[in-house]
Amino acid sequence: MTKCALCLQESQLAKSHIIPKFAYEPVQDGKKRSLPLSPNSDKLAFVQSGIKTELLCHQCEEILSNYEKELSTFLKEVQNGSDRIISFTDGIALASKFNFDKIHKAILSIIWRLSVIPSSNNKNSFFERYYLGEKNQEIIRNVILKDSTLPFYSFPITADKITTNGEKRSDLILCFPYGKSLLGNAYIQSICLYGVIFNIYMKEDITPFFGKDKEILYLGGSFNPIQEQELSSVKIDINLLEKIRSAKVVKKMAILKKNQ
């Protein structure tokens, strides 16, 4: 037994998915295998059912699973369309009637997990760019555990849907050099899941910096916009791009596609 990273209680730990299991669906073959690529490692090995590590107790796994179900539904409807996603010709869609509090907490729980990995397993150097710092880790840990509604302006989130010539790309997961960027006085943590980039503004209350009038931009605000963004306009890690194009990776990916 060891300590759960979320509730901090001594418990038997589960093999926790760092990235939710559903997010791997577009990149897995029929055997539920995927091929993680890192600019920091030459290792090429299939993983089964996504990347997992002993991090959370079973009770805390259920807390995150509850949030992730809503995030899964949201992302699949963003990619496949529904009457809750209204699209406009200028590349903007508006979402409604989702539980944005659960979506908000699901996204925060993912960047929190990405952040706590380096301290628990220093071999995962790829995730170091997602480190939030001890203060933000502790704030977000408590947010995830709370049952109360999280205001949209607390660690607010924007969403961009990646496209290639206007076509959806749900097969993109954490494939860009994301981590921290700076906008004014706010650091932004960004992740890509199911072909959607989520930008998280790392302020417990963003209103002193941008004002509440910016609520039209954030999920959970007045409009819940999702902006289309062409893949060609996204900054991609050069080393990672070269690796994707390499003969070894192309050969491995062909094996996956054959079994899909």
Side-chain angles (χ1 to χ4, degrees):
M1 295 178 69
T2 188
K3 187 179 289 186
C4 171
L6 186 56
C7 68
L8 305 182
Q9 300 299 308
E10 293 288 334
S11 182
Q12 187 72 39
L13 299 187
K15 282 281 188 178
S16 303
H17 281 88
I18 306 307
I19 304 302
K21 188 177 180 180
F22 75 83
Y24 291 96
E25 293 172 5
V27 297
Q28 287 180 335
D29 67 2
K31 300 177 181 179
K32 297 188 181 299
R33 298 179 303 176
S34 56
L35 182 65
L37 300 177
S38 169
N40 305 320
S41 173
D42 293 325
K43 183 179 179 180
L44 287 177
F46 295 130
V47 296
Q48 193 81 25
S49 299
I51 300 171
K52 302 180 287 292
T53 189
E54 290 185 355
L55 190 66
L56 306 174
C57 69
H58 292 279
Q59 186 173 352
C60 287
E61 277 279 307
E62 289 300 313
I63 292 173
L64 300 194
S65 177
N66 181 40
Y67 300 150
E68 290 168 2
K69 287 176 184 176
E70 188 70 6
L71 176 61
S72 173
T73 299
F74 172 72
L75 284 170
K76 289 174 182 179
E77 291 190 24
V78 166
Q79 294 293 8
N80 302 318
S82 80
D83 58 3
R84 296 194 287 183
I85 307 290
I86 302 174
S87 298
F88 298 91
T89 55
D90 57 358
I92 294 178
L94 301 181
S96 63
K97 300 180 181 179
F98 291 95
N99 187 325
F100 287 103
D101 184 61
K102 287 186 177 181
I103 293 169
H104 197 167
K105 289 176 180 175
I107 295 297
L108 290 181
S109 80
I110 295 168
I111 65 167
W112 174 79
R113 277 173 273 180
L114 290 168
S115 179
V116 300
I117 289 177
S119 60
S120 61
N121 187 350
N122 58 21
K123 294 180 181 179
N124 289 285
S125 58
F126 172 76
F127 298 114
E128 288 178 1
R129 68 185 66 185
Y130 296 97
Y131 182 59
L132 302 174
E134 291 184 7
K135 180 180 177 181
N136 280 329
Q137 278 186 180
E138 182 61 12
I139 292 171
I140 292 174
R141 185 185 71 81
N142 282 299
V143 163
I144 297 166
L145 280 173
K146 283 182 179 178
D147 198 28
S148 56
T149 300
L150 180 67
F152 75 86
Y153 53 79
S154 183
F155 300 105
I157 297 171
T158 62
D160 298 321
K161 177 182 176 181
I162 300 299
T163 57
T164 301
N165 298 321
E167 297 297 319
K168 65 181 182 181
R169 291 299 306 269
S170 56
D171 58 332
L172 302 178
I173 308 174
L174 294 179
C175 51
F176 311 116
Y178 285 152
K180 293 179 182 176
S181 59
L182 187 63
L183 178 62
N185 292 317
Y187 277 104
I188 302 171
Q189 288 280 348
S190 300
I191 57 173
C192 183
L193 298 169
Y194 223 85
V196 174
I197 299 171
F198 293 99
N199 301 298
I200 306 98
Y201 292 74
M202 298 306 299
K203 293 290 183 183
E204 194 171 5
D205 183 353
I206 201 70
T207 54
F209 303 91
F210 296 113
K212 286 191 176 181
D213 59 319
K214 296 291 193 299
E215 70 175 82
I216 60 172
L217 302 176
Y218 306 131
L219 295 183
S222 300
F223 297 101
N224 309 300
I226 302 139
Q227 175 72 58
E228 284 190 6
Q229 186 175 357
E230 276 290 310
L231 181 60
S232 59
S233 69
V234 179
K235 184 181 178 182
I236 301 178
D237 189 303
I238 301 253
N239 294 328
L240 188 58
L241 188 59
E242 290 177 354
K243 183 170 289 187
I244 291 170
R245 293 171 174 169
S246 70
K248 289 182 179 179
V249 170
V250 170
K251 184 177 179 179
K252 283 277 192 179
M253 292 302 293
I255 295 172
L256 286 179
K257 290 181 179 179
K258 184 179 179 181
N259 289 285
Q260 283 181 335

